[in-house]
């Protein structure tokens, strides 16, 4: 077993979901590290930027393999916490976190990127990297083949003059981008939807539109209970938070999300609608005191990376139950086939159905 093998085997996903069943790294992470060592050893020995590392494999692996300086950008706060925990567990440096627009400097020689599935996010990353890059910077973007398409190469070409794919290994592939171009950074997308101004930082879920789950949730807002403090949990672009603030002036509204992109989108959406909304980058409601809210509204995700899971929703239900005052309400929209009602009854309290279609169900659960 090599030193890198030992490091990777020591990593865990915590505090991410699936810690007991899913690995904290995959074949794409290992391919990126091996390929960087074999083909770009000089660049790896310099200043390395790691973008959207999921649990620390790329960041800690680059440090182990001799990177001089490691700069890091992770959109997900869960990923940041997993990296910090794995760094502490293995006794290695976690690198320094930076905003996307500042993670690459003129001295950066190599970028290791977990290729995002969102083309908008990839375009934003490519532009941010290219904007600050020196002429010799090399970007290696890798993922599992099933999550990669030729369109991603075309997106990278907006920021790089030379883009080519490697041969596949372990059902993974790497795209190598060189010769950065001078391009403008990506701008937030803006749209007016059903009277709401939506602002979306590239890569946020649903973009500058209303997904059908959120539409179903908003359609029940004529039955909102009175509230002094409400939370838009897993807020996405913050449309729900903005609508709550519009309907109840003077109430305290919090929009929070695991994604920094979403939190910034929610801030911009509130600003565009002329309402006051507090925003927070958080894993669930970990920073919110118990029994502090009257209403929590939630459109829960059901993916952890590429894996479909109900664990995230169950965690968020339990978090909402802790934060709600007795008698407070958790309002949730969910895919009807998931049958969350018994879980809501158990974790939160008495639950009634407000709306149902073959696709979505909206429920209201009263905190015991």
């Amino acid at each position: 077993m090599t030193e890198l093998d030992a490091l990777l085997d020591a990593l865990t996903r915590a505090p991410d979901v699936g810690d007991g069943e899913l690995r904290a790294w995959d074949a794409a992470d290992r391919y990126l590290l091996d390929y960087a060592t074999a083909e770009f050893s000089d660049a790896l020995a310099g200043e390395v930027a790691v973008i959207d590392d999921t649990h620390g494999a790329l960041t800690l692996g680059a440090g182990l393999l001799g990177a001089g300086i490691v700069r890091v950008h992770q959109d997900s706060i869960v990923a940041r916490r997993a990296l910090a925990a794995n760094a502490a567990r293995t006794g290695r440096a976690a690198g320094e976190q930076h905003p996307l627009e500042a993670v690459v400097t003129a001295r950066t020689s190599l970028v290791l990127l977990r290729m995002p599935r969102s083309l908008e996010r990839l375009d934003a990353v490519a532009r941010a990297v290219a904007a600050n890059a020196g002429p010799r910077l090399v970007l290696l973007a890798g993922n599992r083949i099933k999550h990669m398409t030729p369109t991603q190469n075309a997106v990278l070409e907006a920021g790089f003059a030379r883009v080519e794919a490697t041969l596949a290994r372990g059902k993974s592939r790497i795209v190598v981008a060189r010769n950065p171009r001078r391009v403008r950074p990506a701008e937030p997308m803006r749209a007016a939807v059903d009277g709401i101004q939506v602002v979306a930082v590239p890569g946020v879920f649903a973009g500058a539109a209303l997904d059908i789950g959120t539409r179903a949730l908003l359609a029940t807002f004529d039955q909102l209970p009175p509230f002094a403090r409400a939370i838009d949990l897993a807020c996405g672009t913050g449309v729900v938070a903005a609508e709550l603030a519009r309907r109840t002036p003077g109430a305290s509204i919090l929009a929070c999300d695991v994604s920094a992109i979403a939190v910034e989108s929610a801030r911009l959406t509130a600003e565009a609608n002329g309402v006051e909304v507090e925003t927070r980058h958080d894993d669930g409601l970990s920073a919110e005191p118990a029994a502090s809210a009257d209403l929590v509204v939630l459109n829960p995700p059901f993916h952890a990376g590429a894996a479909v899971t109900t664990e995230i929703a169950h965690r968020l239900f339990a978090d909402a139950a802790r934060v709600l005052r007795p008698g407070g309400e958790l309002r949730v929209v969910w895919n009807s086939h998931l049958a969350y009602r018994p879980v809501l009854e158990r974790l939160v309290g008495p639950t009634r159905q407000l709306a149902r279609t073959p696709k979505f169900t909206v429920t209201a659960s009263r905190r015991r």
Side-chain angles (χ1 to χ4, degrees):
M1 176 181 288
T2 67
E3 194 174 2
L4 180 57
D5 290 326
L7 172 68
L8 295 177
D9 285 349
L11 304 183
T12 76
R13 295 172 60 87
D16 200 359
V17 299
D19 192 47
E21 301 174 4
L22 300 174
R23 227 168 33 175
W25 59 279
D26 65 14
D29 293 315
R30 184 59 190 261
Y31 192 9
L32 279 165
L33 293 169
D34 288 347
Y35 192 79
T37 303
E39 302 295 332
F40 298 100
S41 57
D42 289 346
L44 179 60
E47 180 177 287
V48 177
V50 179
I51 300 176
D52 286 344
D53 193 2
T54 58
H55 301 92
L58 296 177
T59 303
L60 302 179
L64 174 67
L65 295 171
I69 297 172
V70 181
R71 298 168 64 85
V72 185
H73 170 76
Q74 292 167 293
D75 175 64
S76 166
I77 196 168
V78 171
R80 295 182 188 184
R81 291 176 177 176
L83 168 57
N86 280 321
R89 181 177 296 107
T90 59
R92 306 207 64 86
E96 184 178 348
Q97 290 281 345
H98 297 274
L100 177 61
E101 62 272 15
V103 68
V104 165
T105 75
R107 297 179 299 278
T108 304
S109 49
L110 181 69
V111 176
L112 300 178
L113 167 68
R114 280 294 303 207
M115 178 80 84
R117 297 169 72 180
S118 162
L119 296 179
E120 290 79 12
R121 171 66 172 172
L122 180 59
D123 180 64
V125 170
R127 289 172 179 275
V129 169
N132 293 326
R136 299 194 178 192
L137 176 140
V138 177
L139 182 148
L140 304 181
N143 208 327
R144 306 290 278 168
I145 290 173
K146 62 185 178 181
H147 302 312
M148 300 179 74
T149 68
T151 307
Q152 292 168 325
N153 296 30
V155 171
L156 282 170
E157 287 169 358
F160 295 86
R162 183 179 172 189
V163 176
E164 53 197 2
T166 67
L167 296 174
R169 191 189 89 174
K171 298 183 180 179
S172 303
R173 195 183 298 279
I174 295 170
V175 177
V176 183
R178 285 178 271 203
N179 301 345
R181 308 176 191 268
R182 287 288 169 256
V183 292
R184 293 184 302 174
E187 295 290 336
M189 300 168 284
R190 300 171 183 269
V193 184
D194 295 345
I196 303 173
Q197 299 296 319
V198 185
V199 187
V201 175
V204 70
F205 174 71
L210 291 184
D211 66 281
I212 54 177
T214 298
R215 284 186 183 276
L217 188 59
L218 291 173
T220 69
F221 273 24
D222 57 344
Q223 306 172 51
L224 285 174
F227 60 89
R229 180 163 176 79
I231 300 172
D232 180 4
L233 178 56
C235 64
T237 56
V239 168
V240 168
E243 183 62 12
L244 288 171
R246 288 204 314 177
R247 286 173 176 264
T248 312
S252 171
I253 310 295
L254 169 66
C256 62
D257 203 287
V258 70
S259 164
I261 294 171
V263 172
E264 177 62 7
S265 298
R267 185 189 70 80
L268 293 171
T269 293
E271 183 180 90
N273 286 279
V275 295
E276 291 290 330
V277 172
E278 177 189 0
T279 57
R280 183 181 299 157
H281 194 200
D282 197 4
D283 179 9
L285 295 171
S286 69
E288 189 70 6
S292 60
D294 307 297
L295 174 67
V296 176
V297 182
L298 171 63
N299 182 358
F302 55 92
H303 284 91
V308 177
T309 177
T310 59
E311 188 178 346
I312 298 174
H314 291 191
R315 281 193 186 186
L316 294 176
F317 297 162
D319 233 9
R322 179 186 63 82
V323 166
L324 281 168
R325 299 186 178 99
E329 181 179 302
L330 170 61
R331 185 163 299 197
V332 186
V333 59
W334 37 275
N335 291 72
S336 296
H337 73 275
L338 294 173
Y340 279 148
R341 186 164 179 171
V343 180
L344 290 163
E345 294 267 2
R346 174 171 55 85
L347 293 176
V348 185
T351 299
R352 70 187 192 279
Q353 180 176 296
L354 301 179
R356 184 179 177 88
T357 68
K359 181 72 172 174
F360 287 104
T361 298
V362 183
T363 54
S365 303
R366 182 173 57 81
R367 180 70 170 95
R368 291 186 184 89

